[in-house]
Amino acid sequence: MRIIQVDQQAKAVVNLVLGAALFIAAFVILLYRLFEPTQLQVYHSLSSSLLIAACANGIALLTYDLNSQREWKPGVSRVFAVLAIIASADGLVGNLFDSFDAQIHPSLYITSGLAGLWMSLRLRSHWAIRAQRIIAGVAALALAVVLLMHFVIETPLLARHPSGSLVAGALVLITLIALWNLSTASEQELPCVSMLTTTIALVGLLVSTTIGVVLFHNEMNELRDRGEEAAVNLNIARRAAGNEHVSTLKRLAERWENYPDSIHNSLMELDMNAFLRDVDFLESIILRRGTELMWERSRDRDTSYKEMYQNDAYVQQQFDPLRKEHVQMLVASRSKTEDGARVYIHIPIDFKDDNYEKGYWGILAVMNVPQMLSNQTLTYRSPIYTYTAISNGMLLDQHGHWVTTPTLDYLHNHALFLYESSLETEFTTGTPIYSYMYDLQEMQARANLQILVTLAGIAIVLFMALTIERNRELVVQGRQLRFQAEHDALTGLYNRTTIEHMIADRFHKQRDLTAMFIDLDGFTLINDSLGLQVGDRLLQVLAQRLTNIIGKRGMLARFGGDEFLIVMQKMQDDEEGLAEITSKILSAVAQPYRIMHHKIYLTASIGVAHQTEDQYAPLELIQRADMAMHQAKRQGHNHVQIYQDSMSLQFKSSAAMRSSLQEAIEKNQLTLHYQPIVRCNDGATVGYEALLRWEREPGRFISPTEFIPLAEMTGQIIPLSEWVFRRACEAAVTLQKHGPCKVAVNLSTLHFNRSEFTPFLEQTLEETGCNPEWLELELTESILMENTDYAVEVLQNLRDKKISISLDDFGTGFSSLSYLKRLPVDKVKIDRSFIAGIRTHRSDRVLIGSVIKIAQSLNFAVVAEGVETAQQAEFVTELGCNYMQGFYFGRAVPLGEL
């Protein structure tokens, strides 16, 4: 049975690995999500809802077996399936337990929820299982295609985070594959997976998942470090550029402070022209006095940054009058500078011989930020972008351009935030700097590699689990096959082959073995009357009783049918121990057996044989125990017989006789002798009895009482009986030439009880040309007693065909008169034992007279057998016998000597 379940076992292993992988992966990621210190979205690629749904579906799958006999499994599976539905619904309505949106695709929540719903319904019909197989298979293929597309377009399709997109899809894909696998299982309960396979699978999946999470964490740390590095580099570059430009403007302010009054204005004009010519990102220079802008020199005469300043309340708000003696940087509002940010750098000027406080005068240098930063632009395209936050909520990109609304939307919904810093210079503090992973292609490529490694780990674990479980199954099957080869399938005891091998292994080593051969008396009758099922159960009960008696003291085997063999050591000289064991065995066998509504009693015959020096083969010990057992049966059953050498001689003689008898049958060495049967009133010969003779050696005849029982025991009686009938019919035809007569033939019980007897007899009569009236069948009461209705029916059929029926050895049986009255018999033959005592025993004479009267009252003709003297012939005639036969009238002789 286990061999048939190999595919079912593989499905159980697959379900275990997939369900455990789903639960462990989701649980480990959920723990990482809870205890990760930064709680940044770059580290959290999945929503809590999807992870909880995956955990619940994993447990539901592990306990989802529609054919399970364990009552707790359906309840557990349904509870966790409902939990998966709730978690999936939470994901669809907005992830109430998450502080950010992982942007998991709704189809994943829907699929996960539907999987939980399906497992909670536990539909068992054929169409439902088929629908599960088709839907789960198609959905799994579709999701696998979507996952493969990540490798082609290198863009997350199912979530915001590249890793989250793949992991979320993989979790749902595992759920679908597991459901498909369960739909292909047979209608039998999934077998339990071994503890070894389960442990290795769980450890392997835990290690594989942990490695995947560690690799992910390290990669996210590396990305965050790169984001931090980008922010630091931006800070350094901005600080260096700002210091350089401010220093240049400060030197300009110092020159203006020291110019002579006579040429002050002309020199300032020259300086402004030179700066506007040489500094390409300098758009304008404005002279400020107090709150008033005095004049402006611009690169583009059509653009007035003086008016822009005056009309820009935002830039004016940035100017701090209390710090007018310090350098200040003022950023113009976006509405005024759509083509690129403009920054006003305020440089205070302290003119000599001026009564105003320091900072009353100042320069406002207007810088074109994109042009100023163009020299700092990287030569390679980095996937990490940095942004500077302006106080009015706007962002400047790393090139100095305002971040557009589509870009802001992309940053909020797609790009991954990495790091936050602040711009620190001598002139500004606390300006936020943000780093984002803007281009996700590189990150997606790494995520693709990571998911491949993780899935490969799961595949390796699955392969290992299947291999281990298959090898374990092969080992178990090997043990079972070995057990089946060595043990009896019904009782679980050793079988004949095994016990013979065990005896052979010990036979030449210990030389102290004792064999006890047990055969149940009349067990065949139980099988025939009560049925094989009752007989089998009885043997099982008896096997357990014998096992309790023998224990570990010996070897117990079912030798075959209703035969058991016990082999023990060191029992030759322990007669009391042997007697105790055999007594216990007979007592155990005799205890009543209560099977179904039957109460059965049994006995057993036991043959015991000890190992001796004259035994050269292991099987001789069993053979001798078997001989002793048969001798115990001949002594009346329910008996213990120890082997004696004379038994061997007797069995050897029987075996030799059996072989010789077979040769005699095949070589036509048997003969029929015929003894005359005479009529009492006139002494005329009316027939002959055919008597079988076997001349085994010249002049030495074997008595039929010796070889006929042997032939009946070996089955040789059938061909022997057929030969006798054929020869007797041929003789009957020959004898008709000397006058009408009958030939009487003794009928074997075995041959008569066979259904083909009557057709055989009809065919023989036809082939030999013998008329049915010339044949008479002699049969004993035992034939009629075994199956009366059948016997009466067959005999009546034969009588209808004009074949005479004679009841042999009448008076020696136990037939009642009512029974004899039913028999379709023509004659009865009084046994020779009554005739022999006529002269010496008055009781025999009285008994013969009674038998004759009984037979005649039933309208039976009477034949007296064994008549050897004239007085016996005269006496039986006077008593009313119809026919006589015996040595007085002639001995049995061959047909040619009649």
Side-chain angles (χ1 to χ4, degrees):
M1 184 63 184
R2 304 279 300 195
I3 296 177
I4 300 174
Q5 289 185 343
V6 167
D7 291 338
Q8 192 79 340
Q9 191 76 23
K11 290 179 173 58
V13 172
V14 172
N15 186 62
L16 168 69
V17 173
L18 294 180
L22 193 61
F23 171 76
I24 291 175
F27 186 72
V28 170
I29 296 173
L30 188 60
L31 289 179
Y32 171 77
R33 175 185 177 84
L34 294 176
F35 295 104
E36 195 280 319
T38 66
Q39 291 299 306
L40 295 176
Q41 189 168 10
V42 70
Y43 291 96
H44 303 292
S45 57
L46 297 171
S47 67
S48 301
S49 301
L50 186 66
L51 293 174
I52 294 174
C55 284
N57 276 332
I59 298 177
L61 285 168
L62 290 174
T63 54
Y64 183 79
D65 186 358
L66 295 177
N67 303 301
S68 175
Q69 302 300 317
R70 296 172 176 83
E71 296 180 356
W72 59 270
K73 273 192 172 184
V76 172
S77 179
R78 184 172 280 118
V79 166
F80 281 95
V82 171
L83 179 60
I85 297 173
I86 296 173
S88 300
D90 175 69
L92 283 175
V93 299
N95 298 296
L96 301 179
F97 300 103
D98 288 337
S99 58
F100 50 82
D101 185 9
Q103 297 181 12
I104 304 297
H105 199 278
S107 63
L108 298 183
Y109 289 119
I110 294 173
T111 304
S112 182
L114 289 176
L117 177 62
W118 186 267
M119 287 187 283
S120 67
L121 294 176
R122 297 183 63 83
L123 300 177
R124 304 173 61 91
S125 62
H126 177 72
W127 68 264
I129 300 298
R130 187 172 184 181
Q132 176 182 338
R133 183 183 307 125
I134 295 173
I135 296 173
V138 172
L141 288 176
L143 186 53
V145 172
V146 174
L147 291 176
L148 290 175
M149 290 176 63
H150 287 74
F151 294 83
V152 179
I153 63 177
E154 295 187 343
T155 299
L157 302 174
L158 300 174
R160 178 174 184 175
H161 198 293
S163 296
S165 180
L166 289 171
V167 174
L171 291 176
V172 177
L173 178 62
I174 290 175
T175 305
L176 294 172
I177 294 176
L179 283 174
W180 179 86
N181 174 68
L182 288 172
S183 70
T184 61
S186 69
E187 296 181 356
Q188 300 176 355
E189 180 181 9
L190 285 177
C192 292
V193 181
S194 68
M195 183 59 66
L196 174 62
T197 304
T198 302
T199 302
I200 291 177
L202 294 179
V203 172
L205 290 171
L206 183 60
V207 171
S208 175
T209 305
T210 303
I211 291 175
V213 171
V214 170
L215 290 176
F216 171 80
H217 182 73
N218 291 337
E219 182 183 349
M220 295 305 103
N221 279 341
E222 179 186 350
L223 287 177
R224 192 159 182 265
D225 290 343
R226 290 172 59 186
E228 180 181 4
E229 181 182 1
V232 170
N233 290 337
L234 178 68
N235 197 3
I236 293 174
R238 297 295 185 269
R239 186 166 56 246
N243 290 337
E244 178 184 356
H245 302 323
V246 170
S247 297
T248 302
L249 293 174
K250 280 185 175 182
R251 289 195 297 270
L252 176 62
E254 290 176 358
R255 291 168 60 182
W256 286 8
E257 292 173 350
N258 297 318
Y259 282 155
D261 293 339
S262 58
I263 57 173
H264 188 277
N265 292 337
S266 60
L267 291 176
M268 288 175 61
E269 189 71 28
L270 290 174
D271 286 339
M272 286 187 289
N273 293 331
F275 267 76
L276 291 173
R277 183 185 68 247
D278 297 335
V279 181
D280 55 357
F281 52 81
L282 182 62
E283 295 289 340
S284 175
I285 299 176
I286 302 172
L287 180 64
R288 178 189 64 80
R289 185 181 68 180
T291 59
E292 184 180 359
L293 302 183
M294 300 299 296
W295 47 259
E296 172 188 18
R297 295 292 184 270
S298 299
R299 180 185 302 277
D300 185 3
R301 297 184 182 277
D302 295 332
T303 303
S304 174
Y305 288 95
K306 175 183 174 182
E307 293 180 3
M308 182 185 296
Y309 183 90
Q310 292 172 341
N311 296 328
D312 192 347
Y314 172 70
V315 74
Q316 294 179 30
Q317 292 174 0
Q318 298 177 53
F319 182 75
D320 187 2
L322 300 179
R323 297 181 65 253
K324 59 180 180 293
E325 70 275 11
H326 300 286
V327 176
Q328 297 185 50
M329 289 190 178
L330 316 174
V331 180
S333 64
R334 177 178 176 178
S335 60
K336 307 296 184 181
T337 56
E338 287 291 345
D339 59 336
R342 301 294 189 270
V343 61
Y344 290 78
I345 300 178
H346 170 257
I347 306 296
I349 301 176
D350 187 13
F351 290 112
K352 293 180 179 182
D353 300 329
D354 191 359
N355 294 327
Y356 296 103
E357 70 275 10
K358 185 177 181 180
Y360 182 77
W361 294 90
I363 300 175
L364 289 176
V366 181
M367 303 290 187
N368 186 325
V369 178
Q371 287 190 357
M372 180 178 65
L373 299 180
S374 61
N375 294 331
Q376 299 178 6
T377 303
L378 298 176
T379 57
Y380 68 94
R381 184 175 181 270
S382 172
I384 298 176
Y385 288 8
T386 54
Y387 299 91
T388 305
I390 307 303
S391 58
N392 65 346
M394 299 303 297
L395 295 180
L396 282 176
D397 63 17
Q398 57 197 13
H399 304 293
H401 295 286
W402 293 107
V403 175
T404 62
T405 300
T407 303
L408 278 175
D409 182 68
Y410 181 84
L411 292 177
H412 291 156
N413 297 316
H414 300 284
L416 296 175
F417 174 76
L418 298 178
Y419 188 75
E420 179 181 356
S421 180
S422 61
L423 182 62
E424 300 291 343
T425 67
E426 297 178 4
F427 324 110
T428 59
T429 58
T431 303
I433 297 177
Y434 303 120
S435 298
Y436 283 88
M437 190 69 181
Y438 191 89
D439 188 351
L440 300 180
Q441 285 190 346
E442 176 186 343
M443 194 173 179
Q444 185 67 61
R446 292 192 178 188
N448 293 343
L449 180 60
Q450 283 184 359
I451 199 66
L452 285 178
V453 172
T454 303
L455 292 178
I458 296 175
I460 291 173
V461 170
L462 177 59
F463 176 77
M464 289 177 58
L466 286 172
T467 302
I468 293 172
E469 189 69 10
R470 182 62 58 87
N471 290 338
R472 190 191 70 85
E473 281 298 307
L474 291 177
V475 170
V476 171
Q477 292 166 12
R479 291 174 182 171
Q480 289 182 338
L481 291 175
R482 182 177 178 181
F483 183 88
Q484 293 171 1
E486 295 179 349
H487 293 75
D488 175 58
L490 178 64
T491 62
L493 302 177
Y494 290 127
N495 58 24
R496 175 174 179 174
T497 303
T498 304
I499 196 69
E500 289 178 351
H501 288 165
M502 288 181 171
I503 294 174
D505 292 339
R506 295 164 174 78
F507 188 80
H508 298 291
K509 297 178 181 178
Q510 278 88 13
R511 308 293 297 178
D512 60 351
L513 301 178
T514 296
M516 286 173 272
F517 205 105
I518 305 170
D519 185 87
L520 302 181
D521 301 327
F523 180 75
T524 303
L525 179 61
I526 294 175
N527 274 341
D528 294 341
S529 59
L530 303 181
L532 296 177
Q533 184 178 4
V534 174
D536 290 345
R537 181 57 187 153
L538 188 149
L539 292 175
Q540 292 173 340
V541 174
L542 177 58
Q544 186 59 50
R545 293 180 183 179
L546 296 177
T547 301
N548 295 336
I549 295 173
I550 302 303
K552 297 182 178 180
R553 294 185 295 174
M555 297 172 288
L556 173 63
R558 182 189 179 199
F559 203 71
D562 59 344
E563 299 173 337
F564 296 86
L565 182 64
I566 299 173
V567 179
M568 304 183 71
Q569 293 178 267
K570 300 179 180 180
M571 298 295 293
Q572 290 97 327
D573 301 326
D574 189 4
E575 295 182 2
E576 293 182 0
L578 179 62
E580 179 185 359
I581 291 175
T582 53
S583 176
K584 288 182 178 179
I585 293 174
L586 291 178
S587 177
V589 174
Q591 292 296 317
Y593 302 84
R594 299 184 181 276
I595 300 173
M596 299 180 184
H597 57 279
H598 305 289
K599 186 176 182 181
I600 305 170
Y601 291 89
L602 269 182
T603 59
S605 300
I606 304 177
V608 181
H610 299 294
Q611 185 178 2
T612 57
E613 295 296 332
D614 62 339
Q615 296 176 13
Y616 301 101
L619 293 182
E620 288 186 48
L621 179 64
I622 302 177
Q623 181 182 2
R624 292 186 176 185
D626 185 42
M627 292 180 187
M629 181 271 295
H630 284 289
Q631 184 64 26
K633 284 187 175 294
R634 282 193 290 270
Q635 293 179 359
H637 306 286
N638 196 27
H639 179 63
V640 179
Q641 176 65 52
I642 298 178
Y643 171 80
Q644 298 175 358
D645 291 338
S646 60
M647 298 178 188
S648 177
L649 296 176
Q650 179 181 354
F651 277 96
K652 288 180 179 178
S653 175
S654 298
M657 182 178 291
R658 175 180 179 178
S659 300
S660 300
L661 178 59
Q662 186 64 33
E663 292 180 0
I665 295 173
E666 294 175 354
K667 296 180 180 180
N668 201 22
Q669 295 176 349
L670 299 171
T671 59
L672 284 181
H673 288 196
Y674 299 89
Q675 187 176 37
I677 300 174
V678 299
R679 196 164 40 231
C680 290
N681 56 6
D682 58 3
T685 300
V686 295
Y688 299 90
E689 181 179 0
L691 300 173
L692 184 62
R693 294 292 184 263
W694 176 22
E695 189 176 9
R696 189 174 183 183
E697 297 176 2
R700 179 174 175 270
F701 288 89
I702 304 299
S703 172
T705 58
E706 293 184 28
F707 68 84
I708 292 298
L710 177 64
E712 290 180 339
M713 182 178 65
T714 61
Q716 294 170 307
I717 191 65
I718 302 302
L720 186 59
S721 177
E722 291 177 351
W723 183 88
V724 169
F725 269 103
R726 182 171 293 276
R727 296 294 177 269
C729 290
E730 292 173 351
V733 174
T734 301
L735 291 172
Q736 300 308 313
K737 299 176 182 179
H738 306 286
C741 65
K742 291 180 178 289
V743 175
V745 181
N746 288 283
L747 181 58
S748 165
T749 303
L750 293 177
H751 200 184
F752 176 79
N753 286 329
R754 294 203 173 186
S755 59
E756 61 269 19
F757 170 72
T758 300
F760 159 75
L761 186 58
E762 293 174 349
Q763 182 180 356
T764 302
L765 291 173
E766 181 180 355
E767 291 177 353
T768 58
C770 178
N771 290 332
E773 297 90 343
W774 302 344
L775 186 64
E776 182 176 301
L777 301 182
E778 290 190 7
L779 48 102
T780 62
E781 293 181 38
S782 60
I783 294 179
L784 304 173
M785 293 290 289
E786 290 182 1
N787 193 345
T788 304
D789 293 336
Y790 173 77
V792 170
E793 180 182 353
V794 173
L795 292 178
Q796 187 62 54
N797 183 33
L798 294 175
R799 287 189 71 193
D800 293 342
K801 299 180 184 298
K802 306 296 181 64
I803 298 176
S804 299
I805 307 298
S806 175
L807 184 62
D808 201 6
D809 299 334
F810 184 73
T812 61
F814 302 96
S815 302
S816 65
L817 292 178
S818 60
Y819 169 72
L820 291 175
K821 185 178 180 180
R822 295 177 54 198
L823 297 180
V825 174
D826 299 297
K827 298 178 183 178
V828 295
K829 301 183 75 173
I830 300 176
D831 187 74
R832 66 178 63 249
S833 62
F834 296 110
I835 304 300
I838 286 178
R839 298 180 60 186
T840 58
H841 297 89
R842 180 177 177 275
S843 59
D844 286 346
R845 293 194 295 271
V846 174
L847 185 59
I848 291 175
S850 300
V851 170
I852 292 174
K853 289 180 180 179
I854 291 173
Q856 290 177 343
S857 67
L858 296 173
N859 295 322
F860 295 160
V862 180
V863 181
E865 289 185 301
V867 177
E868 298 180 357
T869 65
Q871 293 84 353
Q872 292 174 345
E874 182 180 354
F875 181 77
V876 297
T877 301
E878 292 176 354
L879 290 178
C881 276
N882 303 101
Y883 305 99
M884 299 178 289
Q885 86 178 83
F887 292 162
Y888 179 70
F889 304 104
R891 293 181 175 274
V893 295
L895 179 63
E897 298 180 13
L898 289 177

